Amino acid sequence: MKKIFKITKILVMIFLLNTITQSKTIIVGTNAEFAPFEYLDENKIVGFDIELVQEIGKRLNRPIKIKNLSFDGLIPALQVGKVDLLIAGMTKTPERAKFVGFTNDYFVAKQVLIVRKDAVEPKKVEELKGQKVGVILGFTGDLIITKIPEIKSEKYNTIFSAIMALNTGKVDSIIVDSAPAKSYVAENKKLKIVEIESAEEKYAIAGKKNSPLLEEINVILAEMLKDGTYDKIVKKYFK
Ligand code: GLN
């Protein structure tokens, strides 16, 4: 009898713990300098990724809290448990996958170059040899350029500061993801985008390695694709 009582007690505790974790806030790290995925609109963090993760939170029945961090501080913040998830237009790379777990991808992107309007258009990254290319610290574009020793790279903390350097002639071009490049060039009449041969990059949400949350999100992402919610958010941010 005593044993049955003990087992029931344990079961009740497991049930309670489960309900507590289910309604627990999920803290999501991002870097709000990557429009249209995440950016500040009158001090509010908005964008495609933010809306996507808010919807995921709704479907998980857990509130979402967004934390704005520097891009290169995101993976360390996840590792020390300051945040539970990362959504930041982050490319799933084998190197990052050593430290974090990734969901299935939710967006496919490419790297492009931004140059001044009067510049000759390079077709391949190799043609940039001897030139100075602005890269954003820790971005995948940074990794591509840094691999080619003949290209001089200048590292910047934000896309915005790299754009300033390009406008003032400190660098000849900037390498950055396609969608943010479009949104920055739309606001800079003296600049243009040059498509280059570059590999596809897949954005995914990151969480702690082997976290069950990642699998739950995969199920939700598939549902959102099927029921049209994903397309609705795409239409809102990519006109
Ligand atoms: N997709 C790029 C990367 O993962 C840039 C991401 C970002 O700046 N938010 O490095």
Side-chain angles (χ1 to χ4, degrees), residues 141-161:
D142 180 6
L143 307 179
I144 294 172
I145 295 300
T146 320
K147 263 190 217 144
I148 309 170
E150 296 92 337
I151 303 177
K152 283 177 245 138
S153 70
E154 240 1 281
K155 294 192 197 277
Y156 295 93
N157 283 320
T158 61
I159 304 179
F160 182 73
S161 48

Side-chain angles (χ1 to χ4, degrees), residues 83-98:
V83 298
D84 305 304
L85 288 178
L86 303 176
I87 191 161
M90 183 178 275
T91 308
K92 205 184 214 177
T93 66
E95 184 55 29
R96 289 174 182 156
K98 286 184 199 157

